[in-house]
């Protein structure tokens, strides 16, 4: 599985931790930056990684900022992206099982690195449950088609 990573300056350190964590477990990574703690604007970074997921270059994305909220809002502007900001493993599992989320967002100022890596593991290992949830995803797609 190829995973797109991106962060702003607030999320940079956690992105680096996640990159090493995922590489050690055999995941392919595409790192869209940022590459230092110099201030940047989170929409620029989040949009690059989300585009890679939207276009199928990467299977999943993980985005980092101070709260996980700004990058989630940005990613969800792209058609076909279902980004979930998660602060616990239960939500991460449900985001995959029920919502078929293709992007996870994490807040560096909210979630510590140990829990963040657990959330990432759960997010990447949990399949979409399909069934009754599929019709709901179709309704999200229908809304996207109406809006754009
Ligand atoms: C940067 O200070 C901060 O605003 C950003 O990382 C993020 O939390 C926005 O949602």
């Amino acid at each position: 599985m190829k995973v797109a990573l991106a962060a702003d300056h607030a999320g940079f350190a956690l992105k680096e931790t996640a990159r090493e964590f995922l590489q050690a477990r055999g995941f392919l990574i595409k790192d869209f930056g940022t590459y230092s703690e110099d201030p940047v604007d989170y929409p620029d970074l989040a949009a690059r990684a989300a585009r890679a997921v939207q276009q199928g270059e990467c299977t999943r994305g993980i985005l980092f900022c101070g709260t996980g909220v700004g990058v989630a809002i940005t990613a969800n502007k792209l058609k076909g992206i279902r980004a979930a900001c998660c602060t616990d493993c239960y939500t991460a599992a449900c985001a995959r099982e029920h919502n078929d989320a293709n992007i996870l967002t994490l807040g560096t100022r909210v979630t510590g690195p140990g829990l963040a890596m657990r959330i990432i593991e759960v997010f990447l290992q949990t399949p979409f449950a399909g069934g009754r949830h599929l019709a709901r995803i179709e309704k999200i797609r229908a809304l996207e088609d109406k809006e754009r």
Side-chain angles (χ1 to χ4, degrees):
M1 186 190 291
K2 192 167 178 184
V3 181
L5 299 181
D8 71 356
H9 51 289
F12 167 71
L14 196 56
K15 172 174 71 65
E16 295 304 291
T17 303
R19 186 166 46 72
E20 287 167 24
F21 178 82
L22 292 170
Q23 281 171 337
R25 283 156 182 77
F27 288 95
L28 297 174
I29 300 296
K30 178 115 192 223
D31 186 348
F32 289 87
T34 189
Y35 307 109
S36 77
E37 290 187 344
D38 294 343
V40 288
D41 297 330
Y42 62 81
D44 298 334
L45 289 302
R48 281 180 212 150
R51 189 74 71 195
V53 175
Q54 183 193 44
Q55 295 180 346
E57 184 193 345
C58 294
T59 319
R60 302 257 184 282
I62 309 175
L63 311 180
F64 307 85
C65 67
T67 58
V69 173
V71 288
I73 291 172
T74 304
N76 279 319
K77 296 295 177 197
L78 277 71
K79 187 173 178 176
I81 293 299
R82 292 176 298 280
C85 180
C86 299
T87 56
D88 64 87
C89 292
Y90 176 77
T91 306
C94 288
R96 288 288 312 127
E97 282 174 11
H98 294 200
N99 313 116
D100 198 16
N102 44 19
I103 289 187
L104 166 68
T105 75
L106 290 161
T108 311
R109 296 169 183 160
V110 181
T111 306
L115 176 56
M117 295 312 110
R118 287 279 170 87
I119 292 171
I120 286 173
E121 258 182 339
V122 168
F123 185 80
L124 294 179
Q125 286 171 1
T126 306
F128 176 49
R132 69 184 193 279
H133 302 295
L134 194 55
R136 295 160 186 166
I137 301 299
E138 290 304 335
K139 289 192 176 186
I140 295 172
R141 289 202 182 104
L143 273 174
E144 284 179 335
D145 289 340
K146 264 193 198 166
E147 284 294 312
R148 297 155 210 225

